[in-house]
Amino acid sequence: NSNTKSSPKSYPLIGNYLSISANRHRFIQWTSDAVHNSSTLTVVLRLPFGSNHVITGNPTVVQHILKTNFSTYQKGPISHTILFDFFGQGIFNVDGDAWKMQRQFYNHVFSAKSLRHFLHVVETELNERLIPILTVAAANNTVIDLQDVLQRFAFDNICQIAFEYDPTCLIPSMPHASLAVAFEDAIRITIERFRTITPWKIKKFLNIGSEKRLKEAVSEIRDLATKIVNQRKQELETVGSDKSVDLLSGIISAGDTDDRFLMDIVISFIFAGRDTTSAALTWFFWLIYKNPRVESEIMCEINRKPNSDTLVYDEVKEMVYTHASICETMRLYPSVPIDGKTAMADDVLPDGTVVKKGMMVSYHPYAMGRSEKLWGGDWSEFRPERWLEKDEGTETVRFTVRDAYTYPVFQAGPRICSGKDMAFLQMKRVVMGILRRFVVVPVVDGGGGEPVFVADLTSKMKGGFPVKIKERKK
Ligand code: HEM
């Protein structure tokens, strides 16, 4: 790429394979550096045997692939095959009519009415499960893994809203660890398929190594999905579909009862809901620990709210400073740090990069959030104020919406995350529920250390997030 000041070293036949392989475990940071080093914020990775992977952090290019030329940039057949064993025909792995159909159901599920119901589900899980667990941890001064706790919280939550099924992951005995590990392994191995040139199809055929593990993990996850599907079907037969607002009931009632497809829907939903909000919240608690001024501002906002266990929807919506702090967290640690499409036809990107049919073209929210060009010289500062604006006359603070293509943390365009509003509602309510009662103190010395960023598909802390919980002094 002629725009690149210092692009990764490329060799005939193998392209950038040596650099890619050496940086496989820090792929996100490495590609982020490469994007920053490019004057156009776009780089082309040369893959073995002449295929290329375009990675961009350029908002104009992002808009081009996610909106203007939406039909050219799809999931595509290669990605579909790689993801199929885990995601099947779920929304994350389909294009065209199959996508449109599922998208409509998701839109229905995330209507304002169901968001109100969802807030109620969050509050129940918060008051009956999360707060009691944190209370015990505070009383006993124990170290807990907050990343794990938040994932369990999100898992229970999403299953209840989407399928009216309660997997009871977040209870004091912390059960179902093997299911969580199965999810983790399945995602990691699936994503590794994109980043190795080891022929995973051969390993799969021979049922060896990581592919053997993937098969086991997927089978364990599908067992849970089958249980959920059967339970919903049975309940619909006895109770009828009138009262059900959940996603799965909607699809079953509309006449689609192919079990494999219903399971795919369950898996995609759990995936979307379990890892994304918990990843953002995990980094949020780390960043406010490092920035006590921000925590104090959030506390002022929380203390202005009525001190009740149940809050009305509008009260949670109005928490602008908390909202800004979560946006700021995801600028530095976007839950999905990189996300890819496949070009379905030859094209030229607005910055001049030539794209050939079949090439992967990814946008890189992690690189974008850390770009001086896009966020200015203070990009590394955690400063929620950059999302806020004061109304001159009234002195009220308002949230300012940023251009979705400069901040594509929820993707943008027609396939923008359909759970975005729900995600914010959940995250803000959890932040409020935890901070009103407790102070979260990361265990940095004596084993914890500074968190290490790792990303298979979502931005995690390597080895978890060990914290102590203290009761907040009134
Ligand atoms: C912090 C929270 C979240 C973030 C940052 C986030 C981010 C994203 C991103 C980047 C995509 C595009 C993925 C792709 O290329 O296929 C996406 C899609 C999607 N998200 Fe979220 N998400 C979040 C929470 C949620 C939640 C809680 C749900 C609800 C279960 C959800 C449901 C979906 C769905 C259904 C799609 C597919 C949309 C489509 O393809 O049309 N998300 N999200």
Side-chain angles (χ1 to χ4, degrees):
N1 183 353
S2 58
N3 298 320
T4 308
K5 281 186 268 173
S6 61
S7 29
K9 258 205 152 81
S10 181
Y11 299 95
L13 272 183
I14 60 166
N16 301 125
Y17 176 69
L18 293 181
S19 311
I20 296 174
S21 185
N23 288 288
R24 202 151 61 92
H25 301 293
R26 49 182 302 276
F27 185 78
I28 300 300
Q29 297 95 319
W30 178 66
T31 46
S32 174
D33 290 346
V35 165
H36 292 158
N37 282 333
S38 156
S39 54
T40 58
L41 296 179
T42 299
V43 286
V44 183
L45 288 188
R46 318 236 168 246
L47 305 180
F49 312 115
S51 60
N52 291 339
H53 181 178
V54 177
I55 302 183
T56 190
N58 180 329
T60 314
V61 176
V62 175
Q63 177 160 13
H64 178 89
I65 60 175
L66 295 184
K67 187 181 171 206
T68 326
N69 261 17
F70 176 73
S71 58
T72 304
Y73 295 94
Q74 303 194 357
K75 299 279 173 173
I78 295 176
S79 172
H80 181 83
T81 312
I82 288 179
L83 296 179
F84 186 80
D85 288 321
F86 182 53
F87 286 107
Q89 304 282 3
I91 188 163
F92 289 101
N93 200 27
V94 286
D95 297 300
D97 289 344
W99 164 71
K100 264 193 203 140
M101 184 279 250
Q102 287 185 56
R103 177 86 195 184
Q104 275 167 11
F105 279 110
Y106 278 94
N107 288 348
H108 171 69
V109 143
F110 296 128
S111 67
K113 185 171 148 237
S114 30
L115 287 179
R116 280 167 210 275
H117 165 69
F118 179 65
L119 186 59
H120 177 69
V121 176
V122 174
E123 286 184 341
T124 309
E125 178 92 0
L126 189 63
N127 295 326
E128 291 177 9
R129 295 199 180 144
L130 186 59
I131 302 279
I133 284 173
L134 299 184
T135 307
V136 172
N140 297 339
N141 198 28
T142 41
V143 176
I144 57 166
D145 175 1
L146 192 61
Q147 179 166 268
D148 178 51
V149 166
L150 291 168
Q151 263 170 28
R152 288 166 184 271
F153 181 92
F155 192 100
D156 283 356
N157 241 216
I158 210 64
C159 287
Q160 290 174 59
I161 182 88
F163 329 118
E164 293 195 4
Y165 172 85
D166 182 2
T168 56
C169 270
L170 187 67
I171 54 172
S173 62
M174 297 284 177
H176 295 308
S178 84
L179 192 64
V181 174
F183 246 92
E184 218 101 303
D185 285 355
I187 291 165
R188 180 179 45 78
I189 298 166
T190 301
I191 295 309
E192 268 170 19
R193 286 177 170 182
F194 281 104
R195 296 180 193 164
T196 69
I197 55 164
T198 329
W200 61 267
K201 283 187 180 167
I202 298 177
K203 280 209 264 178
K204 181 180 169 186
F205 177 75
L206 298 172
N207 195 26
I208 53 169
S210 54
E211 288 295 325
K212 179 165 186 263
R213 172 65 193 135
L214 178 63
K215 196 172 167 192
E216 289 162 3
V218 168
S219 141
E220 193 175 339
I221 295 162
R222 289 204 173 266
D223 283 349
L224 170 76
T226 311
K227 205 163 128 190
I228 292 175
V229 167
N230 288 342
Q231 186 177 319
R232 263 347 274 141
K233 277 188 170 173
Q234 255 172 21
E235 278 172 19
L236 280 176
E237 268 166 32
T238 43
V239 183
S241 61
D242 303 354
K243 282 198 240 90
S244 297
V245 290
D246 71 275
L247 176 87
L248 201 53
S249 305
I251 294 186
I252 297 171
S253 309
D256 213 320
T257 49
D258 171 1
D259 279 356
R260 162 91 208 198
F261 178 58
L262 294 175
M263 278 197 281
D264 292 345
I265 291 191
V266 168
I267 288 167
S268 279
F269 217 114
I270 296 178
F271 166 75
R274 169 184 178 264
D275 280 11
T276 45
T277 54
S278 59
L281 284 176
T282 301
W283 288 106
F284 168 87
F285 283 107
W286 167 250
L287 287 169
I288 60 162
Y289 165 73
K290 296 282 281 183
N291 297 274
R293 182 192 66 80
V294 174
E295 181 166 351
S296 304
E297 290 284 343
I298 295 174
M299 286 318 297
C300 288
E301 183 168 81
I302 291 176
N303 289 333
R304 283 199 296 272
K305 298 282 164 206
N307 194 357
S308 129
D309 283 344
T310 50
L311 282 168
V312 277
Y313 176 71
D314 293 335
E315 282 170 343
V316 180
K317 282 211 103 173
E318 279 160 16
M319 296 169 61
V320 285
Y321 196 85
T322 309
H323 195 97
S325 309
I326 294 172
C327 290
E328 183 68 346
T329 299
M330 293 190 291
R331 178 177 66 80
L332 293 167
Y333 297 102
S335 306
V336 182
I338 190 169
D339 191 18
K341 307 275 171 191
T342 307
M344 306 311 285
D346 291 354
D347 192 21
V348 179
L349 298 177
D351 64 4
T353 309
V354 174
V355 171
K356 293 277 166 215
K357 183 178 173 183
M359 261 190 205
M360 268 183 64
V361 180
S362 299
Y363 65 99
H364 202 314
Y366 179 94
M368 295 178 85
R370 290 160 183 259
S371 159
E372 190 170 338
K373 272 190 200 137
L374 302 181
W375 295 93
D378 70 346
W379 70 265
S380 66
E381 265 176 57
F382 181 64
R383 204 170 58 79
E385 286 74 12
R386 69 175 93 234
W387 296 88
L388 298 170
E389 218 175 47
K390 227 183 208 150
D391 250 349
E392 286 298 319
T394 60
E395 290 288 293
T396 40
V397 176
R398 265 187 307 127
F399 182 79
T400 49
V401 180
R402 291 295 188 123
D403 166 43
Y405 304 99
T406 304
Y407 183 76
V409 159
F410 289 92
Q411 193 163 44
R415 284 192 89 148
I416 189 169
C417 171
S418 26
K420 185 178 167 200
D421 290 348
M422 187 178 97
F424 272 114
L425 205 57
Q426 184 204 66
M427 292 188 287
K428 286 157 79 174
R429 189 61 187 92
V430 169
V431 163
M432 183 182 213
I434 294 182
L435 289 185
R436 178 173 266 165
R437 281 280 304 270
F438 307 106
V439 181
V440 175
V441 187
V443 182
V444 182
D445 306 317
E450 292 255 327
V452 175
F453 174 91
V454 286
D456 295 321
L457 214 52
T458 49
S459 301
K460 297 272 175 69
M461 287 186 191
K462 191 174 181 183
F465 183 31
V467 300
K468 282 192 175 180
I469 305 294
K470 310 271 178 222
E471 292 278 351
R472 187 178 288 277
K473 291 196 182 70
K474 294 281 178 244

